[in-house]
Amino acid sequence: AVAARVADGDGRVCGVVLSAFLKPGRQEIGAQPSQLQFGLSVTEPCLGWEDALATLEALAAAVAARRRASPPPVGRSESMPRAPFRELGAIEQTDNLRVQTIRPLLSPACAIEEVELPLQSKRLLLRARCDISAVVQGDSDRLLVLAGPPAVHDPSEAMEYAARLAALAAELESELLVVMAVNLSRSSSDADAAAAAAPGGGWAGLVTDPRLDGSVDMNSGFRAARRLLLDIAQLGLPTAVEYVDTITPQFVADLASYALVGARQAGSRAHRELASGLSTPVGFQGGATSADAAVDAVRSAASGHAFLSVSKQGVAGIVQTTGNRDGHLVLPAASAAEAEEAACGALAALGLPARAMVDCGYGAGCTTPQEQAAAAAAVAARVADGDGRVCGVVLSAFLKPGRQEIGAQPSQLQFGLSVTEPCLGWEDALATLEALAAAVAARRRASPPPVGRSESMPRAPFRELGAIEQTDNLRVQTIRPLLSPACAIEEVELPLQSKRLVLRARCDISAVVQGDSDRLLVLAGPPAVHDPSEAMEYAARLAALAAELESELLVVMAVNLSRSSSDADAAAAAAPGGGWAGLVTDPRLDGSVDMNSGFRAARRLLLDIAQLGLPTAVEYVDTITPQFVADLASYALVGARQAGSRAHRELASGLSTPVGFQGGATSADAAVDAVRSAASGHAFLSVSKQGVAGIVQTTGNRDGHLVLPAASAAEAEEAACGALAALGLPARAMVDCGYGAGCTTPQEQAAAAAAVAARVAGGDGRVCGAVLPSYLLQGRQPLAPGGKLTRGMSVAGACLDWGTTEAILREFAVAVTARRAAAPEPPSKKARSS
């Protein structure tokens, strides 16, 4: 019948899908797969080869007849990419289009060999880690004090401060365990985001820019950082480092006694996995309004993980860790007593450290040195009153009070004054530490300290100490070989026709996001793909529907290869199978961590979907996976927990696709700031296609946009889009109708989608798309060891079934038609990027 239509000149028919195989019919799989007939389908019935051959020949003859009646159009093929998508590069290239260069990076092993820690200093570090662990675990009543500038910009100034602090630390060591904060990268806290708009706000830290001139000399930066940390260790003073990415620790972690993960990073799965393998105690900062992410981070880091990182040789590898039970909370000074009690109680119930440090710094809401001193005084009062929950304090302190701008002439900076957030001056810091020491003495008089082992000896509760000579990777079981991205790409390469599809889809998505197209972008698929064959069945259905509705909808299949770290997924992690990390990490669903097979399977799946003519979207939960699969994807998603992470914003600035940043359940601020940040170029650490660590410099990505929860208030959405419009960035938003957006059941998801359709039909031009959790069957199923899975049902978040999905997409198409009828012209282009 199709051949007859084509032969009669029907130009609407562009193709045909045939179920065909070697033999006609089908067979049951049964209990003995080895007894299956060769060449016979095990699912739906198929045409046999002879019938398929005759059918294809008839179709070819029909095309020839149509051509004779109506010659084909002359002009540019629609399969070619359109100019509006920026930095396309050559048609053969679909990845790293916004990456200017990946420059050579010194390997961690070489950096360590150049600036090596002597044995005596190694012993100091290990002893300090044990002592910090004792404080955190409640085996010591000393107060842990982290003091130092928010970011070190001049090693000579830092050494003068360190010399003063070391002398004071020795004087007060009976009451206080003083650690110098030596932050080598600019923090991505809320306070720092605000400071970034000021002159000099773009400085990224000592490692990235050691000369404060924008030269991005990270090799010199790491050398300077190691020398500084070593010199401080030789003063007898332990150090703490805040990690804003997951590669820097391989360069400096052997020199540090404590690690800090900022509030914005605490929600990032990549940073939790990193913390699970760090050889030091780790403090997770709580947010200004909630400590939930930090609590969940402490819980997650206590378990072992498998993830991608680099080895000491600077080569990408598969890291497996044992877990770190010395993670703990660092809460803002303004935290309510009830919230602090609830957070510590939740950790106590899990057998994890139930004590908290108090952050008295800028990022904790104390914006002036006077407020910081007052917050520290309040901590001292709590300690003096016998409050045993407080185990430490974080102070922003340097030689002089206040802060200064970097400006155009770094040589004219004042000596000893912070170039980031305001700090306490030395005199105020001295008085504060003395007051804290007096408070500890008062607490002791009221309640004698615990009796036990000497705090200077390694204690059994501090795990995997290893040999005294070893100070790093003590919680790392192994770093196994990882296939290089270049090899993975060569094994499963994208043909030219599929490259054209990928690029064209990126152009079309960009047009929707920028307001140059009035189609609705729809991301549909399961929260995590666990079976490629099921995913292909879903993709085939979606491709057919997408083609039918392409005038109104731009349908993209969500192919999430790693388990999301959204709030919903954190809840699911407590259920059976919740520990499954995704197709890439565990392709056989047996905990084998065969990432090399996982990446091969992921590439084959994405390629097969592309060859159906269906574009794909991938959510990135780490910063290395994109080098393996980004050439195959037309869209990228950054989850709400990752949106606050500096590493993910830097990654997005170099992605060759449009990027959606998910807003949080209570605020879109982090997502708005992420869109802004990703629009600019950055320099950061990652790996090249050859699997070697390098220094990446990007051009920026102005196709970043918001993906807001369905439950977002209209006022909040309007404010978020308005803030981006003022910056000349996409001011349209997608609506997330999924589990992580508060829609926990398929019924709620369908209702949220109906609300989106109503908005669109009502002429709302701000809505540019929707995210639908969708699969073959409704709901979700647990992934229990040895359990039998139902084909076509999600093993992560709950999904809509295919029938409901089809109905929703058709409803969306009708809504777009209604919007067009009310406003024939595309939505306002005022947010279009230049």
Side-chain angles (χ1 to χ4, degrees):
V2 173
R5 287 180 60 185
V6 173
D8 287 343
D10 189 338
R12 186 182 299 134
V13 179
C14 68
V16 62
V17 179
L18 298 176
S19 293
F21 207 29
L22 298 173
K23 296 179 181 178
R26 67 177 298 274
Q27 62 186 323
E28 299 293 345
I29 293 179
Q32 297 295 326
S34 60
Q35 296 177 5
L36 290 172
Q37 288 189 54
F38 184 85
L40 188 59
S41 168
V42 297
T43 54
E44 287 73 29
C46 291
L47 292 169
W49 173 251
E50 297 303 326
D51 290 331
L53 174 62
T55 300
L56 265 64
E57 288 173 340
L59 290 168
V63 171
R66 183 168 66 178
R67 278 189 182 146
R68 287 192 295 271
S70 176
V74 178
R76 186 171 60 82
S77 165
E78 290 184 24
S79 65
M80 294 296 290
R82 303 183 305 111
F85 190 77
R86 293 103 190 143
E87 304 90 47
L88 276 183
I91 186 68
E92 291 77 17
Q93 188 180 1
T94 60
D95 195 16
N96 284 348
L97 303 180
R98 290 187 171 103
V99 174
Q100 290 177 316
T101 180
I102 300 181
R103 290 165 36 213
L105 176 67
L106 184 75
S107 75
C110 290
I112 291 167
E113 187 177 50
E114 287 182 22
V115 184
E116 195 167 4
L117 193 63
L119 181 60
Q120 191 60 34
S121 296
K122 287 179 182 176
R123 289 176 171 150
L124 163 79
L125 289 180
L126 291 172
R127 174 181 172 179
R129 292 177 187 176
C130 294
D131 291 346
I132 294 169
S133 178
V135 171
V136 168
Q137 299 285 355
D139 296 337
S140 167
D141 68 347
R142 287 202 287 174
L143 201 67
L144 174 61
V145 179
L146 265 59
V152 169
H153 70 281
D154 184 326
S156 65
E157 297 178 20
M159 281 307 299
E160 178 168 334
Y161 177 81
R164 297 186 190 183
L165 192 63
L168 183 60
E171 180 184 337
L172 303 176
E173 66 176 344
S174 295
E175 294 79 29
L176 305 182
L177 175 50
V178 179
V179 178
M180 180 170 167
V182 185
N183 293 322
L184 307 170
S185 298
R186 185 78 179 269
S187 170
S188 61
S189 65
D190 290 325
D192 190 68
W203 180 67
L206 181 69
V207 163
T208 303
D209 190 6
R211 294 187 293 276
L212 290 81
D213 59 1
S215 55
V216 192
D217 186 358
M218 289 192 184
N219 290 321
S220 295
F222 277 122
R223 290 183 174 105
R226 286 194 62 83
R227 287 190 200 100
L228 174 60
L229 289 167
L230 174 58
D231 290 345
I232 294 172
Q234 292 181 319
L235 292 175
L237 183 65
T239 53
V241 178
E242 178 180 355
Y243 296 125
V244 299
D245 68 84
T246 58
I247 294 176
T248 290
Q250 287 290 48
F251 286 86
V252 300
D254 62 306
L255 293 162
S257 294
Y258 183 90
L260 191 67
V261 175
R264 286 203 166 176
Q265 273 74 246
S268 162
R269 170 172 153 181
H271 284 81
R272 297 174 179 194
E273 292 170 337
L274 167 70
S276 75
L278 289 175
S279 304
T280 61
V282 182
F284 290 95
Q285 287 185 315
T289 58
S290 171
D292 291 350
V295 170
D296 199 46
V298 174
R299 177 196 61 76
S300 178
S303 301
H305 291 273
F307 56 95
L308 299 175
S309 189
V310 298
S311 68
K312 294 296 186 191
Q313 287 69 39
V315 178
I318 304 163
V319 180
Q320 289 185 270
T321 65
T322 62
N324 186 347
R325 297 185 68 84
D326 281 311
H328 57 279
L329 300 174
V330 180
L331 301 179
S335 291
E338 298 80 8
E340 180 186 300
E341 184 176 2
C344 291
L347 293 177
L350 297 169
L352 295 169
R355 308 184 79 199
M357 296 183 70
V358 178
D359 185 358
C360 301
Y362 192 103
C366 304
T367 57
T368 66
Q370 293 76 19
E371 290 176 343
Q372 294 165 16
V379 173
R382 287 182 61 184
V383 172
D385 286 344
D387 190 336
R389 187 184 297 138
V390 178
C391 68
V393 63
V394 180
L395 300 176
S396 293
F398 208 31
L399 298 172
K400 295 180 180 177
R403 68 177 298 272
Q404 62 186 322
E405 301 290 349
I406 292 180
Q409 298 294 327
S411 60
Q412 297 177 3
L413 289 172
Q414 288 189 54
F415 188 87
L417 188 59
S418 169
V419 298
T420 55
E421 287 74 33
C423 291
L424 293 170
W426 176 253
E427 297 303 325
D428 289 330
L430 172 63
T432 297
L433 265 65
E434 289 175 340
L436 290 169
V440 171
R443 182 167 66 180
R444 271 189 190 149
R445 287 193 293 272
S447 176
V451 178
R453 250 170 286 101
S454 165
E455 292 179 27
S456 66
M457 295 297 293
R459 305 178 309 109
F462 188 79
R463 285 98 191 151
E464 305 86 46
L465 276 182
I468 191 73
E469 292 77 18
Q470 186 181 3
T471 61
D472 195 17
N473 284 348
L474 303 180
R475 291 188 171 103
V476 174
Q477 290 177 318
T478 179
I479 300 180
R480 290 164 36 215
L482 177 67
L483 184 75
S484 74
C487 290
I489 291 167
E490 187 177 50
E491 287 182 20
V492 184
E493 194 166 4
L494 193 63
L496 181 59
Q497 191 61 29
S498 296
K499 287 179 181 176
R500 287 172 173 156
L501 164 79
V502 168
L503 291 171
R504 178 181 174 182
R506 293 178 186 175
C507 295
D508 291 345
I509 295 168
S510 177
V512 172
V513 168
Q514 298 286 353
D516 297 336
S517 168
D518 65 352
R519 287 200 287 173
L520 198 69
L521 174 61
V522 180
L523 265 60
V529 169
H530 70 281
D531 184 324
S533 66
E534 294 179 18
M536 282 305 299
E537 181 178 338
Y538 177 84
R541 297 187 190 185
L542 192 63
L545 186 59
E548 180 184 342
L549 305 176
E550 68 176 344
S551 295
E552 295 79 27
L553 306 182
L554 176 50
V555 179
V556 178
M557 180 169 167
V559 185
N560 293 323
L561 307 169
S562 298
R563 189 77 178 272
S564 169
S565 62
S566 65
D567 291 325
D569 190 69
W580 179 68
L583 182 70
V584 164
T585 303
D586 189 7
R588 293 189 294 275
L589 291 82
D590 60 0
S592 55
V593 193
D594 186 358
M595 289 191 184
N596 290 322
S597 295
F599 276 123
R600 290 184 175 106
R603 285 194 62 83
R604 288 190 201 101
L605 175 60
L606 290 167
L607 174 59
D608 289 345
I609 296 172
Q611 292 181 321
L612 293 174
L614 184 65
T616 54
V618 178
E619 179 180 354
Y620 297 125
V621 299
D622 68 85
T623 58
I624 294 177
T625 289
Q627 287 289 46
F628 287 85
V629 300
D631 62 306
L632 294 159
S634 294
Y635 183 90
L637 191 67
V638 175
R641 287 201 166 177
Q642 273 72 246
S645 162
R646 170 172 154 182
H648 283 81
R649 297 174 179 192
E650 292 169 338
L651 167 70
S653 75
L655 289 176
S656 304
T657 61
V659 182
F661 291 95
Q662 288 185 314
T666 58
S667 171
D669 292 350
V672 169
D673 199 46
V675 173
R676 177 197 61 77
S677 177
S680 302
H682 290 273
F684 56 94
L685 300 175
S686 188
V687 298
S688 69
K689 293 295 186 192
Q690 287 69 41
V692 177
I695 303 163
V696 180
Q697 289 185 270
T698 64
T699 62
N701 186 347
R702 297 185 69 82
D703 281 312
H705 57 279
L706 299 174
V707 180
L708 301 179
S712 290
E715 299 79 8
E717 180 186 301
E718 184 176 3
C721 291
L724 292 177
L727 297 170
L729 294 170
R732 307 184 79 199
M734 296 183 70
V735 178
D736 185 358
C737 303
Y739 194 105
C743 304
T744 58
T745 66
Q747 293 75 23
E748 290 175 337
Q749 294 161 8
V756 172
R759 288 183 61 184
V760 173
D764 190 336
R766 187 185 295 138
V767 179
C768 68
V771 180
L772 295 178
S774 160
Y775 211 31
L776 298 171
L777 300 179
Q778 176 179 289
R780 68 174 298 273
Q781 60 187 321
L783 184 58
K788 185 177 179 181
L789 293 176
T790 301
R791 181 176 173 81
M793 184 178 287
S794 168
V795 299
C799 289
L800 299 163
D801 64 13
W802 174 253
T804 307
T805 300
E806 181 177 1
I808 288 172
L809 264 63
R810 293 188 185 280
E811 187 179 3
F812 282 163
V814 170
V816 171
T817 301
R819 182 166 68 180
R820 278 182 184 154
E825 294 300 316
S828 170
K829 298 181 183 180
K830 65 183 179 180
R832 181 176 175 177
S833 60
S834 60

